């Protein structure tokens, strides 16, 4: 079974104590990094949104209010935990953990740095590099859905139940779009391993931003991925699962204290993980220019710069999520479902098929000047035929 | 090590399977089903069938059982299931068919004529063989699926489309378009096909 993760050179030879220690330390670092990352993300989100709305935001706890999330966490931790009388006790206790554990696990496949040497062992700066790669992300987000569904159901209360039914329908729909958007990259890369995908986007000069990184060759998939990832993590404008105006909070209404905090932790961790996966798949992961005036094998260029580039790209995407949160109003529920099933999934399908045709054409040496317009025309034709089959809002009104 | 993992998750599979049948609450049954599916995914991993394990988790645990739960939640679980049989002789036939399937499985584990001889037993999945590098588990499955088994594969896809169209037709009723829920049945049916 160890063979499954053997893509990491750390695990190819004998497994001795040092190797075990390295793996444990990597696990701990990712665990702590996610927790601290969520803390800082919530603080930055509140500050940035406050700025955009001409407010000051948190400012009392620590410098610039940076400890505000920590204070909130401590408060939630010591709060009394209540449970409704009509709840299903065991499932009620289980649900928060079904949310939080997949949220932690999903980050394991993200490459956050290059291949480095620790205590004589070469290792990749990521927790695991399984051959199934990005499928692991889809599996974990599939399991994470249970947390939300069961939380709403086991509360034995109406609003949470509506919230969880919404959650299951929404996340199932957008998971299909998310998976198909990922296919748009996988057709180019020919592999599922995140490390291999990152290595294909290696930095060879400023031009590789446009030629090697997958965001431009797979621009359609990139856009669909960003939208679907927002919906998959229940991030505004797709946060109907916890619409406080309609559902008094949604699936987590009946949770208090640390259990409530676990749901929020999981939600923000998922935002971070999805952004990290977007960086990995589309934006070159930890690849970026090294410092030219330092020797290429010094620790600055092997250790520091890849990690620096990864976190820089991650922060740009996370800032974009905050920007979206501050700017866009929540979608209407039927529009949300329509958008996934009638627009996103078709587009992602057609994009994957068109990419496949073009990749095959390039490998076989077909004339791309003829092939590309033909593929685009065919895709548009299929799209319009599909759209013609879907009844418009007006026709639906008449049927009703 | 592998044997220990096998026995733990084999036991977990059986406990989950028992729970599916014995649990009184349909939601608990569905959760036991998830336990069984995840344990079987681990057993797949033990056999180096990584792709199968991932697909098992994504499709069965992540989509199909979620749909079960979705339907249970929408319909509600308060209704008591009647224990009278609507089809006569249903139970004896079920027992007989179950016994036949069990006998079949036990018979097939000892023979290879149905599946063909095991190919390259003992060769590591990621290793290269004399006939060239066959790639890892995912690449092997892909190659077999899109060469030797292309025809059954496409037929299965067609079958799923027929099932989707059929369920949409059934859900919408014949000719009567006055029902209010137009999008709901088609969207759940579509997600079955997507999975």
């Amino acid at each position: 079974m160890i063979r499954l993760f053997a893509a990491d050179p750390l695990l190819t030879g004998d497994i001795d104590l040092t190797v075990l220690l390295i793996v444990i330390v990597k696990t701990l670092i990712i665990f702590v990094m996610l927790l601290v990352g969520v803390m800082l993300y919530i603080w930055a989100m509140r500050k940035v949104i406050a700025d955009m709305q001409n407010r000051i935001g948190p400012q009392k706890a620590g410098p610039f209010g940076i400890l505000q999330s920590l204070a909130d966490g401590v408060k939630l931790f010591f709060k009394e935990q209540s449970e409704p009388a009509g709840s299903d006790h065991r499932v009620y206790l289980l649900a928060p953990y079904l949310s939080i554990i997949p949220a932690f696990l999903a980050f394991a496949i993200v490459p956050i740095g290059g291949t480095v040497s620790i205590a004589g062992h070469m290792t990749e700066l990521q927790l695991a590099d399984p051959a199934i790669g990005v499928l692991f992300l889809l599996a974990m987000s599939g399991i994470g859905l249970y947390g939300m569904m069961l939380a709403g159901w086991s509360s034995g209360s109406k609003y949470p139940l509506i919230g969880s039914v919404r959650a299951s329908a929404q996340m199932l729909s957008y998971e299909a779009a998310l998976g198909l958007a990922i296919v748009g990259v996988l057709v180019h890369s020919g592999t599922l391993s995140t490390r291999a995908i990152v290595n294909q986007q290696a930095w060879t000069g400023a031009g590789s931003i446009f030629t090697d990184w997958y965001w431009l060759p797979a621009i359609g998939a990139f856009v669909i991925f960003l939208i679907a990832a927002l919906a998959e993590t229940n991030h505004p404008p797709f946060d109907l699962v916890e619409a406080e105006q309609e559902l008094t909070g949604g699936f987590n209404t009946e949770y208090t204290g640390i259990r409530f905090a676990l749901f929020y932790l999981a939600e923000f961790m998922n935002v971070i993980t999805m952004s990290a996966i977007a960086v990995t798949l589309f934006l070159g992961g930890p690849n970026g220019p090294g410092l030219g005036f330092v020797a290429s094998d010094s620790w600055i260029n092997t250790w520091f710069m890849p990690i620096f580039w990864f976190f820089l790209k991650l922060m740009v995407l996370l800032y974009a999520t905050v920007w979206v949160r501050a700017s866009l109003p929540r979608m209407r529920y039927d529009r949300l479902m329509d958008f996934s099933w009638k627009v996103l999934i078709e587009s992602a399908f057609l994009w994957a098929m068109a990419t496949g045709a073009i990749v095959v054409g390039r490998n076989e040496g077909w004339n791309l000047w003829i092939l590309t317009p033909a593929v685009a025309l065919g895709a548009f034709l299929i799209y319009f035929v599909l759209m013609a089959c879907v009844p418009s809002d007006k026709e639906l009104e008449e049927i009703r | 090590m592998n044997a220990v993992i096998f026995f733990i998750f084999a036991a977990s599979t059986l406990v989950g399977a028992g729970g599916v049948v014995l649990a009184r609450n349909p939601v608990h049954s569905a959760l036991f089903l998830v336990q069984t599916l995840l344990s079987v995914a681990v057993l797949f991993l033990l056999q180096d069938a990584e792709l199968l394990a991932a697909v098992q988790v994504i499709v069965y645990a992540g989509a199909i059982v979620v749909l079960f739960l979705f339907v249970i939640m929408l319909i509600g679980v308060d209704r008591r299931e009647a224990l009278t049989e609507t089809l006569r002789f249903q139970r004896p036939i079920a027992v007989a068919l179950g016994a036949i399937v069990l006998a079949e499985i036990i018979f097939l584990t000892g023979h290879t004529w149905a599946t063909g001889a095991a190919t390259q037993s003992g060769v590591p999945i990621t290793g290269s063989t004399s006939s060239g590098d066959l790639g890892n588990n995912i690449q092997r499955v892909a190659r077999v699926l899109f060469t030797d088994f292309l025809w059954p594969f496409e037929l299965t896809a067609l079958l799923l489309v027929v099932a989707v169209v059929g369920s949409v037709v059934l859900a919408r009723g014949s000719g009567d378009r006055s029902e209010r829920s137009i999008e709901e049945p088609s969207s759940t049916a579509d997600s079955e096909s997507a999975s």
Side-chain angles (χ1 to χ4, degrees):
Chain A
M1 207 159 145
I2 217 79
R3 210 158 47 222
L4 298 176
F5 303 101
D8 191 339
L10 179 70
L11 301 171
T12 40
D14 291 333
I15 309 286
D16 56 12
L17 194 65
T18 334
V19 173
L20 205 62
L21 269 179
I22 292 175
V23 172
I24 290 173
V25 167
K26 280 206 279 190
T27 315
L28 278 178
I29 287 176
I30 285 188
F31 185 76
V32 172
M33 199 183 72
L34 275 174
L35 286 178
V36 176
V38 167
M39 207 183 91
L40 291 178
Y41 175 67
I42 294 177
W43 167 75
M45 180 187 81
R46 293 176 66 175
K47 270 299 200 195
V48 170
I49 292 182
D51 249 14
M52 289 177 178
Q53 297 169 343
N54 257 336
R55 295 185 286 115
I56 296 173
Q59 49 155 343
K60 296 293 183 199
F64 307 105
I66 200 166
L67 298 177
Q68 184 64 46
S69 325
L70 190 66
D72 289 344
V74 171
K75 185 189 75 176
L76 282 170
F77 199 84
F78 288 110
K79 264 192 163 181
E80 187 194 349
Q81 304 197 17
S82 68
E83 187 183 336
S87 71
D88 189 313
H89 184 65
R90 268 180 250 164
V91 181
Y92 183 84
L93 291 187
L94 180 70
Y97 299 100
L98 281 180
S99 266
I100 192 90
I101 291 174
F104 269 118
L105 290 180
F107 200 85
I109 57 162
V110 176
I112 51 177
T115 307
V116 297
S117 137
I118 305 174
H121 291 279
M122 291 298 286
T123 181
E124 296 165 348
L125 283 184
Q126 75 188 81
L127 187 53
D129 182 22
I132 51 172
V134 265
L135 289 185
F136 186 73
L137 170 85
L138 293 179
M140 285 306 119
S141 70
I143 299 295
L145 173 54
Y146 281 100
M148 232 170 261
M149 284 184 81
L150 295 173
W153 176 79
S154 65
S155 296
S157 172
K158 285 202 178 66
Y159 285 134
L161 183 67
I162 299 174
S164 65
V165 169
R166 279 186 178 184
S168 48
Q170 173 184 340
M171 290 179 71
L172 213 58
S173 313
Y174 280 88
E175 202 174 281
L178 189 80
L180 287 169
I182 291 176
V183 171
V185 175
L186 298 184
V187 171
H188 279 292
S189 71
T191 173
L192 291 167
S193 154
T194 46
R195 175 58 61 176
I197 291 174
V198 160
N199 286 343
Q200 288 171 0
Q201 308 180 63
W203 179 269
T204 50
S208 55
I209 294 179
F210 302 103
T211 54
D212 292 338
W213 293 6
Y214 284 129
W215 71 270
L216 191 60
I219 182 76
F222 185 42
V223 173
I224 295 166
F225 182 90
L226 290 183
I227 298 173
L230 281 184
E232 182 70 13
T233 51
N234 297 313
H235 190 281
F238 305 105
D239 59 339
L240 289 127
V241 174
E242 39 184 312
E244 47 284 84
Q245 294 91 334
E246 306 151 37
L247 301 176
T248 66
F251 69 96
N252 52 19
T253 304
E254 303 289 357
Y255 280 86
T256 49
I258 190 68
R259 294 182 198 138
F260 176 81
L262 286 181
F263 280 118
Y264 261 81
L265 204 56
E267 185 180 324
F268 286 114
M269 255 192 266
N270 282 330
V271 174
I272 292 177
T273 305
M274 279 296 177
S275 306
I277 291 286
V279 169
T280 303
L281 292 181
F282 296 99
L283 300 176
N287 289 313
L291 290 181
F293 52 85
V294 192
S296 63
D297 56 348
S298 80
W299 67 273
I300 293 185
N301 277 337
T302 54
W303 269 93
F304 177 71
M305 288 313 284
I307 297 179
F308 170 77
W309 285 119
F310 173 78
F311 279 103
L312 186 72
K313 293 170 192 172
L314 182 61
M315 275 180 222
V316 169
L317 277 188
L318 286 177
Y319 181 82
T321 62
V322 174
W323 197 354
V324 167
R325 187 186 284 268
S327 326
L328 295 178
R330 187 176 289 142
M331 277 178 95
R332 218 173 70 193
Y333 188 69
D334 57 333
R335 294 276 165 89
L336 176 90
M337 298 306 280
D338 279 4
F339 185 58
S340 174
W341 288 106
K342 294 180 186 166
V343 180
L344 276 189
I345 292 181
E346 274 94 336
S347 316
F349 243 124
L350 287 176
W351 183 270
M353 284 162 70
T355 311
I358 286 172
V359 167
V360 168
R362 203 167 47 199
N363 290 347
E364 302 279 318
W366 296 342
N367 190 343
L368 286 181
W369 291 106
I370 302 173
L371 182 69
T372 315
V375 166
L377 189 70
F380 274 114
L381 276 180
I382 297 175
Y383 192 79
F384 283 119
V385 168
L386 277 176
M387 281 299 114
C389 299
V390 174
S392 68
D393 287 349
K394 214 174 182 181
E395 282 167 332
L396 280 177
E397 277 310 312
E398 281 167 20
I399 294 169
R400 280 168 191 165
Chain B
M1 172 85 172
N2 277 6
V4 175
I5 297 174
F6 171 78
F7 281 114
I8 291 173
F9 283 94
S12 166
T13 309
L14 292 178
V15 168
V20 174
V21 185
L22 296 176
R24 297 230 161 233
N25 190 325
V27 173
H28 293 172
S29 284
L31 289 181
F32 278 119
L33 185 57
V34 175
Q35 183 191 338
T36 303
L37 294 172
L38 293 184
S39 308
V40 171
V42 175
L43 296 183
F44 281 147
L45 276 182
L46 277 180
Q47 303 287 324
D48 286 329
E50 343 168 357
L51 182 68
L52 209 52
V55 168
Q56 169 98 355
V57 175
I58 295 171
V59 174
Y60 286 93
I64 291 185
V65 181
V66 168
L67 277 176
F68 287 175
L69 279 175
F70 185 66
V71 171
I72 294 172
M73 284 179 182
L74 275 183
I75 296 174
V77 293
D78 299 330
R79 254 182 275 166
R80 284 259 157 253
E81 199 69 34
L83 282 173
T84 51
E85 293 176 41
T86 44
L87 294 171
R88 290 177 67 202
F89 308 121
Q90 195 178 3
R91 267 178 228 180
I93 292 175
V95 169
L97 285 178
I100 291 175
V101 170
L102 185 65
E104 206 176 303
I105 291 170
I106 291 172
F107 176 71
L108 282 181
T109 46
H111 297 77
T112 55
W113 56 265
T115 53
T119 47
Q120 288 125 11
S121 60
V123 176
I125 293 293
T126 45
S128 55
T129 58
S130 56
S131 60
D133 193 1
L134 286 171
N136 59 23
N137 174 255
I138 300 161
Q139 287 157 337
R140 286 189 186 196
V141 171
R143 190 168 291 121
V144 168
L145 202 59
F146 288 102
T147 53
D148 297 348
F149 293 98
L150 182 64
W151 180 234
F153 179 67
E154 296 289 342
L155 277 185
T156 315
L158 190 69
L159 200 68
L160 281 173
V161 173
V162 171
V164 170
V165 173
S167 65
V168 170
V169 169
L170 282 177
R172 290 183 67 161
S174 54
D176 180 20
R177 308 187 89 196
S178 61
E179 283 167 284
R180 267 198 76 243
S181 57
I182 299 294
E183 298 100 332
E184 215 45 52
S186 62
S187 63
T188 39
D190 280 353
S191 51
E192 264 167 52
S193 80
S195 60

